Structures are given as C-alpha cells and as structure tokens.
C-alpha cells in the first residue's frame, strides 16, 4: 500500500511538471488571490497573512524581527523569497562562469538591453507619478522582467522563435534580476545595525573560507546560509540579499574535474562482474560480496562529486522555487482588493506610473538601447532574428510580475500606505497582462509561420 501511495504521488508530481509550467501556476495563483480577496472571504484572506510564524528553540525564535514573531506574509516575503533569490543568484553565477554572461561578447547585447530596460521605466515612472516623496518611492517597481512569465509566453510560439531570441530574452532577464538585486540592496536599506552587519560579514567570510578550503557539503552552506539570513534580517539590509551572497559563496568547481570522476565510474563498472538478469528473479534481493559493495560505494562517491555544489543546489531548488515558493508568493501578494477602486486609479498616480513604466518604459528602454548599440556595431543582432521579431521580444520584457510585486511591498507599507500598494499592484497586473497580450500579437505577426519553417527545412 505504501509503494502504491508513493508511486501515485510520484506520478502526479511528474504529470504536473510535464504538463503545468511554473508560469501557469503563477497565473492560477494570481487569479485565485484576486477572486478570494474580492469575494466574501476577503477579510479572512487579509487576516490570514497576519498570522504569526515562529520557530522557537528555547527562548530563541528564528523567525522574529525587532523582538516580534514574523507574520505569515512577512515570512513569505523575507524568508521564502530569500530562497528564490538564492536560486536566482546561483543561476547568475553559473551564467557568469560558463554561460551567456561568461564573456563580454556573449553578455553585451542582453546586458545593454537590460540597462535600458531598467533606466527608461524609472524615467517614465518619475515623469508620470506626482512629485510626492512617498509615491516616488515606487520608481523601481517597473524595472523588473519576470523570467518565468516572459519565457512562458515566448514558449507558446515554440519552434517559430529563433534560438538567438530565446537566449537574448533569458539572458536579459537574468541581467535584469542582477540589477534588481542591486537596487534592493541600495535603495531599500533601512537604518543599519552594525553589530548584525558585522555578524553577517563574519558569516560570509566563513562561507568563503569553506569554499576556499574545498568544503563541498551542501549542508554546510545551507546551515551558514540560514545564519547569514538571520543576521541580514536584523542588519537593516533586506534579508533576500542573503540568498544572493550565499549563492556566490557556493563552489562551482570540482576538485579533479568532471572527466576524472566519469573515468573513475567507468573503471569501477568495468570491475563489476556481469550478471544475467532473469525475469523471475528480478524482484529478489541479491547478496553482494564485500568487493561488490566497495565498488558500488566507489561509484556512489564519484557520482556525488560529479556535479558541482552550485549546479546540484540549483537543481535541488528548481522544483520548490518554481512550483511552490513563487505560486505561494503570488497568492499572498496578488490579492488586490478592488473595493472602492475604479479605472481612475489606473489612469492616475502610482497605478498609471507603474502601468506605463512596464508597458512603454520597458519596451522603449530595451529596444532603443539594443537598436542603438547594434547600429554603432558594438553588439550584433540576435542570430536569425529581424528588427520586428526583436521588437516583439522586447515587448515581453514588460511582464514584470514577481520581482515588481516584491519591490512594491518594499516601497509601500501595507499598513500606512495600503492604497498606494494596491494601486501599484493593480498597475503591475495590468501592465504585465498588457505587455503579454501586445507581445503575443506582435510575435504572431513577425515570426515565421510553421509552414514556412517546414518549407525551409525541406529545402535544406
């Protein structure tokens, strides 16, 4: 019965991963949050996120801030999102070491596009939003591109999209995340506690020393990562930065290189005696000799060392981040109460500034910077793309859901400035949906049709 339950659970998980992308889950979570927040359960929905969260060891509460337990909403935004930023940091580090950010030539086009996509939305927000100090705190909200949503929309067009454009958008979103992380670290830093800042620095030194001394245990980095997170929570620097710092401390290299361990596994398998598999005896236990156990343990040991801690940790976090943390974050933060709101809220103030920043600012920023530097021959056009198809992908950069929502929560206090926070979230939702719809229409008209691709393929 236990095996049946395990198989059913595994089959369901495999089915979900195969048929439901993380972007679909984000849409479902967002729609559910909007329906619940504006239905008869609205008050209960808002009160639910105020429930205290504690992990107490004696008198010590890990999930506390300023002597008070974190609320469930704060726990999601401060702790779970730190894990999300750890995943982002690992991806950025991998891309910088051996991916699309590993050389100036590879990184230049999307990085230049990302710079324009961060600068112009801030300009648009500043020009449109009233010159109020509190309102202007949200100028960084439309800077971000949601990598899951934007790539999810692009995947709808499947083989019609040239590989060069897919790489351009993915790398731009990664560079965009890096810019967003810097903005969070600089702009949203509160009054600092030098004691906890020093403790965070000391923890970082321990992590870097572990990397330098060849410690490859993931438990070591996760344990000190939690210590780093706790210090960051109390230091005044936003706690999610701890995830990025931890990511850059995780080792990306192997002591002897990949080929060494593959060859070690190959030699061990060759020493293992051949066995005839009989169907009737397939489920019967086999008693192994000491030598055979030793060989298998050698293979297991080499396999554990074959994948770098960075890549292994990134793979471990992929499912919980994409299928649990981000949908939970969306469900907790997308529940904008529309009671008393009107289209006027989207046509003025913070809502309009965020909406135009995403829809217009992101597109103009990414496209104009990319166009200019291509014309100056500093960078090259993405392979097999046209100006029209490039412009279509630039429009998708206005999908700024996850990190934009996160920055909105940092910009406006949910108690003192709830109206501004809801306006900003409304602008994010409408701006992201509009960017996705316009981008889809543009892609449908500018990308080659599937029939044309088949004809080209047959001709070759």
């Amino acid at each position: 019965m236990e095996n049946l339950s395990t198989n059913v659970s595994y089959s369901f998980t495999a089915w979900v991963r195969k048929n439901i992308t993380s972007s679909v889950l984000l849409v479902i979570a967002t729609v559910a949050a909007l329906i619940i927040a504006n239905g008869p359960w609205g008050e209960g929905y808002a009160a639910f996120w105020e429930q205290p969260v504690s992990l107490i060891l004696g008198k010590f509460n890990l999930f506390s801030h300023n002597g008070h337990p974190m609320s469930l909403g704060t726990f999601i935004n401060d702790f779970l999102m730190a894990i999300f930023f750890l995943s982002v940091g690992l991806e950025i580090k991998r891309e910088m070491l051996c991916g699309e950010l590993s050389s100036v030539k590879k990184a230049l086009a999307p990085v230049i596009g990302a710079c324009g996509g961060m600068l112009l939305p801030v300009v648009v927000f500043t020009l449109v939003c009233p010159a109020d100090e509190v309102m202007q705190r949200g100028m960084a909200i439309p800077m971000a591109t949601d990598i899951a949503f934007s790539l999810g929309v692009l995947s709808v067009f499947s083989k019609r999209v040239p590989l060069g454009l897919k790489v351009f958008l993915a790398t731009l979103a990664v560079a965009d995340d890096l810019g967003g992380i810097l903005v969070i670290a600089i702009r949203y830093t509160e009054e600092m506690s030098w004691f906890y800042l020093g403790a965070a620095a000391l923890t970082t030194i321990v992590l870097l020393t572990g990397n330098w001394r060849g410690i490859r245990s993931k438990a070591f980095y996760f344990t000190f990562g939690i210590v780093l997170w706790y210090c960051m929570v109390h230091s005044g620097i936003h706690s999610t930065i701890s995830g990025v710092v931890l990511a850059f401390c995780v080792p990306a290299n192997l002591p002897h290189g990949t080929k060494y361990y593959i060859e070690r596994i190959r030699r061990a398998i060759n020493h293992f005696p051949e066995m005839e598999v009989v169907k009737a005896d397939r489920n019967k236990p086999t008693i192994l000799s000491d030598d055979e156990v030793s060989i298998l343990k050698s293979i297991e040991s080499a396999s554990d060392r074959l994948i770098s801690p960075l890549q292994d940790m990134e793979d471990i976090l992929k499912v919980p981040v994409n299928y649990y943390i981000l949908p939970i974050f969306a469900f907790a933060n997308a529940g904008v109460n529309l009671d008393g709101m009107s289209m006027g809220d989207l046509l003025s103030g913070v809502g309009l500034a965020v909406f135009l920043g995403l829809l217009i600012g992101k597109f103009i920023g990414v496209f104009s910077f990319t166009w200019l530097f291509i014309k100056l021959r500093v960078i090259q056009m993405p392979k097999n793309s046209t100006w029209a198809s490039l412009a279509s992908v630039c429009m998708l950069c206005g999908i700024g859901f996850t990190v934009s929502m996160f920055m909105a929560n940092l910009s406006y206090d949910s108690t003192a400035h709830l109206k501004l926070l809801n306006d900003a979230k409304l602008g994010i939702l409408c701006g992201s949906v509009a960017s996705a719809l316009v981008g889809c229409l543009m892609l449908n008209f500018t990308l080659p049709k599937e029939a044309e691709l088949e004809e080209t393929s047959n001709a070759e």
Side-chain angles (χ1 to χ4, degrees):
M1 189 70 179
E2 185 179 346
N3 289 337
L4 177 62
S5 175
T6 303
N7 290 335
V8 169
S9 175
Y10 174 78
S11 300
F12 176 74
T13 304
W15 181 87
V16 169
R17 291 181 63 182
K18 184 177 179 181
N19 296 279
I20 301 180
T21 64
S22 58
S23 52
V24 171
L25 282 179
L26 281 172
V27 171
I28 293 171
T30 301
V31 172
L34 285 168
I35 292 172
I36 294 172
N38 292 280
W41 313 282
E43 289 186 9
Y45 169 86
F48 177 71
W49 306 114
E50 297 302 321
Q51 299 300 312
V53 175
S54 299
L55 180 59
I56 299 174
L57 299 171
K59 294 184 178 180
F60 173 75
N61 181 11
L62 178 64
F63 300 130
S64 65
H65 191 212
N66 295 329
H68 302 287
M70 288 183 173
S71 66
L72 180 57
T74 304
F75 168 78
I76 291 169
N77 293 336
D78 283 9
F79 183 73
L80 294 187
M81 287 304 284
I83 299 175
F84 164 72
F85 277 100
L86 168 59
S87 176
V88 170
L90 292 168
E91 183 179 8
I92 291 172
K93 183 175 180 179
R94 174 175 51 78
E95 292 292 335
M96 291 176 70
L97 290 173
C98 56
E100 294 301 321
L101 298 176
S102 61
S103 68
V104 174
K105 184 178 179 181
K106 286 182 177 181
L108 206 52
V111 167
I112 286 173
C115 289
M118 289 185 282
L119 178 62
L120 265 293
V122 172
V123 172
V124 170
F125 184 99
T126 305
L127 292 175
V128 174
C129 187
D132 179 85
E133 185 179 351
V134 176
M135 287 185 173
Q136 288 288 338
R137 278 183 57 83
M139 66 173 64
I141 294 172
M143 284 176 57
T145 297
D146 191 295
I147 189 168
F149 265 136
S150 57
L151 290 177
V153 172
L154 195 63
S155 69
V156 171
F157 297 89
S158 188
K159 296 178 181 178
R160 294 175 61 189
V161 184
L163 179 61
L165 282 179
K166 292 179 182 178
V167 172
F168 175 82
L169 180 60
T171 312
L172 184 143
V174 171
D176 205 61
D177 282 340
L178 182 58
I181 289 163
L182 293 174
V183 169
I184 292 169
I186 296 169
R187 180 168 177 78
Y188 298 107
T189 295
E190 303 169 2
E191 184 178 347
M192 290 190 293
S193 164
W194 292 106
F195 172 79
Y196 280 106
L197 195 62
L202 183 61
T203 307
T204 304
I205 290 171
V206 171
L207 287 163
L208 289 172
T209 304
N211 187 330
W212 174 59
R213 297 292 295 175
I215 296 176
R216 296 295 181 266
S217 168
K218 293 182 289 294
F220 170 84
Y221 293 98
F222 276 127
T223 300
F224 280 96
I226 291 174
V227 175
L228 177 62
W229 172 83
Y230 182 82
C231 293
M232 284 288 196
V233 166
H234 296 274
S235 71
I237 297 175
H238 199 271
S239 57
T240 51
I241 299 301
S242 62
V244 183
V245 174
L246 173 60
F248 278 81
C249 294
V250 175
N253 62 320
L254 299 170
H256 300 287
T258 304
K259 292 181 180 179
Y260 170 84
Y261 292 106
I262 291 176
E263 186 58 33
R264 180 173 152 184
I265 292 171
R266 186 178 287 115
R267 286 199 306 268
I269 291 174
N270 289 337
H271 281 90
F272 205 87
E274 292 186 9
M275 295 181 180
E276 184 180 352
V277 179
V278 180
K279 189 174 182 180
D281 299 333
R282 187 174 294 173
N283 295 324
K284 291 182 179 179
T286 301
I287 304 301
L288 301 173
S289 67
D290 290 344
D291 288 341
E292 289 169 345
V293 170
S294 178
I295 291 171
L296 290 176
K297 285 188 176 292
S298 175
I299 293 172
E300 182 182 23
S301 174
S303 299
D304 288 340
R305 290 173 170 82
L306 188 58
I307 303 173
S308 69
L310 182 144
Q311 197 170 0
D312 194 17
M313 199 177 287
E314 186 181 359
D315 185 63
I316 289 170
L317 292 175
K318 193 173 293 182
V319 170
V321 166
N322 291 332
Y323 291 90
Y324 299 102
I325 290 176
L326 289 182
I328 289 172
F329 172 81
F331 185 67
N333 289 278
V336 182
N337 192 328
L338 302 177
D339 187 30
M341 298 182 71
S342 65
M343 283 303 295
D345 294 303
L346 187 60
L347 299 176
S348 63
V350 170
L352 180 63
V354 172
F355 175 77
L356 293 179
L358 288 171
L359 182 63
I360 306 298
K362 288 293 288 187
F363 169 72
I364 293 177
V366 175
F367 184 73
S368 63
F369 271 53
T370 306
W371 176 87
L372 176 62
F373 282 86
I374 289 175
K375 289 297 184 182
L376 292 174
R377 299 175 184 255
V378 175
I379 58 176
Q380 294 180 339
M381 174 84 77
K383 193 175 181 181
N384 296 326
S385 62
T386 63
W387 285 114
S389 61
L390 177 63
S392 304
V393 169
C394 291
M395 178 56 70
L396 295 183
C397 294
I399 305 173
F401 184 81
T402 305
V403 180
S404 291
M405 284 284 186
F406 185 73
M407 287 188 173
N409 285 313
L410 296 180
S411 301
Y412 305 117
D413 184 80
S414 60
T415 303
H417 306 114
L418 180 60
K419 176 69 167 57
L420 293 179
L421 179 59
N422 282 336
D423 287 351
K425 289 183 176 180
L426 183 63
I428 292 166
L429 291 170
C430 294
S432 296
V433 170
S435 296
L437 291 175
V438 175
C440 282
L441 290 173
M442 292 174 67
L443 285 167
N444 191 48
F445 282 109
T446 59
L447 292 175
K449 306 301 180 186
E450 289 188 12
E452 295 175 12
L453 290 173
E454 289 178 5
E455 288 178 9
T456 305
S457 178
N458 292 333
E460 292 176 353

